[in-house]
Amino acid sequence: MLKPRIEALQEKRLVGKHLGMSLAQNRTGELWGSFAPMIKAISNTISDNKFSLQVYPKDYFDNFDPTIEFEKWAMVEVADFIDVPDQCGTFVLQAGLYAVFDYKGSSTDSRIFEYIFSAWLPSSDYILDNRPHFEVLGKKYKNNHPESEEQIWIPIQHK
């Protein structure tokens, strides 16, 4: 299946909105629906890429339960935090090591995450790190379309 590239991410400044949700009570559509109209008001964006970022509780993956809540962000990368719209929050994504999967397929197909956490990660030289997980949604991202493309960034550290 997919083999990731390992990247050392540099710190990023992000602006966006967030909601608490679980996989069982997924509010991603609501989150992006409220944030997308604001993107044009953010004057200092670095690219057209959008970031879908998850901050999971520390032991979230140890005893996986789809009803456990986490914080999800809809964001764009900015040069600085000057002139942030009132309805938006800021987030500093710390530097760190990530496994980056170039994924093509529907964003509703969970098999890629099953592969990452059940097959790739256990057989790799890495363990999951307790930092945010995120997806980069670029020009080829088409939401639930089978030809959609995105990058899945999984925080890792050496075993």
Side-chain angles (χ1 to χ4, degrees):
M1 192 136 182
L2 284 177
K3 184 171 167 58
R5 65 184 180 279
I6 307 302
E7 283 200 26
L9 178 82
Q10 299 303 309
E11 181 179 278
K12 293 185 177 296
R13 290 174 182 77
L14 303 163
V15 168
K17 291 186 80 174
H18 64 94
L19 280 175
M21 67 181 73
S22 68
L23 292 176
Q25 295 292 319
N26 192 328
R27 300 172 65 194
T28 302
E30 175 188 346
L31 175 61
W32 279 100
S34 70
F35 177 61
M38 298 179 180
I39 293 174
K40 288 188 178 14
I42 301 170
S43 59
N44 53 354
T45 57
I46 289 179
S47 74
D48 291 335
N49 289 340
K50 295 168 187 70
F51 289 73
S52 180
L53 183 140
Q54 296 77 229
V55 179
Y56 296 108
K58 184 169 178 29
D59 60 352
Y60 183 84
F61 292 96
D62 294 342
N63 300 300
F64 179 74
D65 177 344
T67 64
I68 295 176
E69 286 211 355
F70 56 90
E71 186 176 79
K72 184 155 193 161
W73 286 79
M75 317 169 101
V76 291
E77 187 176 6
V78 295
D80 54 51
F81 293 140
I82 298 170
D83 201 25
V84 174
D86 290 340
Q87 309 92 324
C88 291
T90 62
F91 191 97
V92 176
L93 181 59
Q94 300 296 326
L97 202 60
Y98 279 84
V100 183
F101 295 83
D102 292 314
Y103 173 68
K104 184 175 183 176
S106 173
S107 54
T108 59
D109 185 348
S110 63
R111 288 179 296 180
I112 182 61
F113 291 102
E114 290 172 22
Y115 165 74
I116 291 169
F117 295 115
S118 300
W120 179 79
L121 191 60
S123 65
S124 75
D125 295 331
Y126 303 96
I127 57 171
L128 202 56
D129 199 1
N130 187 31
R131 291 181 286 116
H133 298 226
F134 64 95
E135 294 80 45
V136 176
L137 315 176
K139 292 184 187 338
K140 295 182 178 182
Y141 180 73
K142 300 174 185 155
N143 200 6
N144 298 331
H145 194 281
E147 295 296 311
S148 183
E149 295 181 32
E150 64 186 273
Q151 294 178 350
I152 299 171
W153 291 64
I154 304 296
I156 54 172
Q157 60 185 359
H158 287 278
K159 284 184 178 172

